[in-house]
Amino acid sequence: MSIDPFPTPTPEIENLLAEDRKFPPDPAFAAQANATAELYAEAEADPEAFWARLARERIDWVEDFHTTLEWDLPFAKWFVGGKLNIAYNCIDRHVERGLGHKVAYHWIGEPGDTRTITFADLQREVSKAANALLELGVQTGDRVAIYMPMIPELPIAMLACARIGAPHTVVFGGFSAEALSGRISDCQAKLVITADGGWRRGKPAPLKPAVDEALESSPTIEHTLVVRRLGDAVEGGTAMQDGRDVWWDDIVDRQPPVHEPVALDSEHMLYLLYTSGTTAKPKGIVHSTAGYLLGASFTHEMVFDVKPDDVYWCAADVGWVTGHSYIVYGPLANATTSVLYEGTPDTPDWGRWWQIIEDYKVNILYCAPTAIRAHMKQGAQYAQAHDLSSLRVLGSVGEPINPVAWLWYQKHIGAGTKPIVDTWWQTETGMIMITPLPGVTTTKPGSATFPFPGIEVDVIDSAGNTVPLGGGGLLVLKRPWPAMLRGIYGDPERYKETYWSRFPGMYFAGDGAKRDLEGYLWLLGRVDDVMNVSGHRLSTTEIESALVSHPAVAEAAVVGGPDPVTGEAINAFVILRLGPSNEPTPALGDELRKHVATKISPIAKPKGLMFVPDLPKTRSGKIMRRLLRDIAQGRALGDTTTLADAGVVDLIRSNTGASED
Ligand code: WTA
């Protein structure tokens, strides 16, 4: 069953918020940039030839491919006939070229313990882990679930799977036993790789009990492989079931340190990653090997302008696609040195990230708008107490970044001058799709700017026609790309229906977007979040950005609720920046509502406005507007399984600082 996000004929999404500040590239940066404007021209002239050239230049093949693309809409095969191993491309070839001593990961545990892992270390550890998988009966093609904290064994486990061709499915360590068992059952995994737990906000957070619970309803699992991270810090010790559960140390450490990577087809399934949509059952997004490797590594090098000696830090969790593409496969394929941090940004205090950047002289930081807004709420004093001069490029991903958060990021983290790359993409796209190229693109705060070279994007109306420049509509992708999803695991019909059925021949991303008069793309959030007020389709993103542009506001979420007069009324939830003058008073509420009216239009003025201490978010940091709609309308809450912190909803409900007309 599909859910039609547009039950009635829909006009375009209104394009109301005007943000026209511009930041041209610094000529000194441009002179040394990896990317050039010629890439766009080359890719446009012949996209397939463009990707084929890059695939031959960037990938070490066991066998060359004979066909660049087989496109049986909507099923793509890239680099057909080729054989390769992605773990070899991420590790061994660098060691063979003399980079064995180079650091792959500077790992930092939350309590302050550290490990330095070179590419030679990775080669040895991944080979041993691959041999252990074989001993545990895992074969090429078998699925392996990985449920771990942010410790080095997490990428090691993924690469060990990739080395033998066993597709992995990483389940974020914050998910419940139920979520884990659902994913294991869907893909019929044979093994779970996990840990006794990890450190989170100064406390041990055990993981193994959730695995035990999940396995009560996961008959396909034969073994668990358990890394010892917490050891004695687990109260009462970690229970291990004889014959089923194996400590990592016991089996991996005694393996031979050499393993011959298996040569796999270009289209071999590298991994599955589950993403929840509007319906309850998560979708197992399938990614393959060669196209994914090319997409992740090439975008990584171009979008972040990564140089051989850079220290790069993507502060996402490996459990999300951002971590797969831009902590593991992209950076390692480029022989990049990365920071990997176990904990949260507020432990022991909000200076932790900035301390890490100072200590490791981090050159590139990639994080989510939710993190930037959380830092904005705390104030810039934490960042100001540290030397951040090593930073050269700052990235953002996961949600639209409000212009003010963009400007804050650049001013306080990027010394007012460093390029910001706002990157739009999805679990499904595998790679960054819409982004500035630093040194090439003139940026505008809040705009993801233009499609990456070779990517074709359009903004269309509900009839499928291109919306003229200056207007808003639905974001679609019109041409296959190497890292695209190959399907939904076990459900080709759902794949067609979800992404390819609404507009024939086009991939419908589910996001709204506008293109300004200069062709810049502005992402407007998920289309299910769009509101219809007095016949105007308004994007939540624009109203939220208007609220955040007020100096008292750190973060805002906007949802629609039924209104007898206007159809839908706008309800705003606002988090104030910490500061003595920012009191949640009715007067400030009125001021904020007027501020939106001036910034956008009186039709966009929120009817209700509530000050809240926090917002319900998914575990990857996206605001769950669906739950806010339930709260605003006094309904019972819908599915809350992906909610990061269940207490937040009660906090909001018990909050009294509301102001209404
Ligand atoms: C949103 C994360 C605006 C969007 C890589 C998309 C963004 C969804 C941006 C995918 C951005 C991601 N600007 N919105 N720069 N990046 N999104 O699968 O709604 O976790 O469809 O992948 O996040 O989220 P996912």
Side-chain angles (χ1 to χ4, degrees), residues 322 397-400 422-427 511 523 526 622:
T322 306
V397 60
E399 276 188 298
D422 171 12
T423 64
W424 178 91
W425 59 296
Q426 307 178 298
T427 303
D511 282 358
L523 278 304
R526 305 294 300 168
K622 295 189 209 300

Side-chain angles (χ1 to χ4, degrees), residues 158-385:
M158 293 162 75
L159 291 157
C161 289
R163 204 170 176 94
I164 66 171
H168 55 70
T169 185
V170 181
V171 180
F172 171 59
F175 275 147
S176 64
E178 198 187 325
L180 176 61
S181 78
R183 286 155 172 77
I184 289 172
S185 305
D186 189 71
C187 71
Q188 308 270 291
K190 212 169 167 180
L191 174 79
V192 187
I193 309 181
T194 185
D196 55 0
W199 289 93
R200 207 154 175 84
R201 296 214 158 84
K203 296 198 190 83
L207 267 186
K208 179 68 172 28
V211 177
D212 294 338
E213 194 187 327
L215 294 200
E216 284 168 19
S217 50
S218 306
T220 57
I221 295 291
E222 294 170 5
H223 290 286
T224 74
L225 180 54
V226 189
V227 177
R228 211 186 297 268
R229 162 71 181 134
L230 293 175
D232 295 340
V234 180
E235 223 179 296
T238 295
M240 296 288 276
Q241 184 176 313
D242 249 6
R244 187 194 71 183
D245 301 342
V246 185
W247 286 109
W248 178 283
D249 304 346
D250 288 346
I251 188 166
V252 175
D253 286 2
R254 62 177 167 73
Q255 299 295 325
V258 190
H259 171 270
E260 182 65 31
V262 179
L264 299 161
D265 277 351
S266 291
E267 282 296 315
H268 186 79
M269 178 164 63
L270 172 64
Y271 70 80
L272 271 163
L273 190 59
Y274 285 86
T275 170
S276 25
T278 41
T279 53
K281 191 170 178 275
K283 304 186 281 280
I285 302 299
V286 175
H287 280 293
S288 71
T289 302
Y292 176 78
L293 170 61
L294 175 63
S297 72
F298 184 55
T299 50
H300 177 253
E301 188 170 326
M302 293 300 135
V303 174
F304 301 108
D305 196 52
V306 184
K307 307 293 187 209
D309 293 329
D310 275 347
V311 178
Y312 159 87
W313 183 17
C314 167
D317 193 285
V318 170
W320 311 122
V321 75
T322 306
H324 282 58
S325 298
Y326 298 108
I327 298 179
V328 182
Y329 293 108
L332 291 178
N334 293 334
T336 299
T337 298
S338 286
V339 163
L340 190 65
Y341 169 55
E342 180 185 28
T344 59
D346 58 349
T347 306
D349 62 43
W350 282 96
R352 186 69 187 261
W353 276 21
W354 320 125
Q355 183 70 52
I356 291 174
I357 290 172
E358 180 174 340
D359 289 349
Y360 290 87
K361 305 204 166 25
V362 172
N363 305 107
I364 299 153
L365 176 67
Y366 190 30
C367 66
T370 180
I372 298 163
R373 292 187 304 249
H375 284 291
M376 228 168 88
K377 174 181 174 186
Q378 299 301 321
Q381 68 276 17
Y382 293 100
Q384 279 157 0

